[in-house]
Amino acid sequence: MNNKQIVGKEVGTISVSMYEENETGLPIFYFKANNKHMLHVLNIIENALNNFNKD
């Protein structure tokens, strides 16, 4: 059975936008959390994607 449901209340949302730097072509990430409860998760995502730039 492939019935995917989320049971619980939504705590927040994180948006990630990716841009490409004009000269180097490297990705630039912009992050936005819709509330303070999401900041810890946002920091984890930000750190992971910033490491992406170093590869």
Side-chain angles (χ1 to χ4, degrees):
M1 189 161 139
N2 193 12
N3 186 9
K4 297 181 181 180
Q5 291 184 340
I6 298 174
V7 179
K9 81 174 193 179
E10 183 177 303
V11 176
T13 303
I14 295 173
S15 299
V16 179
S17 299
M18 186 173 107
Y19 301 89
E20 187 175 276
E21 206 278 326
N22 289 335
E23 292 181 23
T24 64
L26 290 173
I28 300 169
F29 298 100
Y30 173 75
F31 308 93
K32 184 175 181 180
N34 71 336
N35 65 56
K36 67 179 180 175
H37 302 292
M38 299 304 295
L39 293 179
H40 181 69
V41 177
L42 185 141
N43 287 333
I44 293 168
I45 294 169
E46 185 175 18
N47 289 338
L49 289 176
N50 284 335
N51 287 333
F52 174 78
N53 280 341
K54 295 176 184 175
D55 291 341

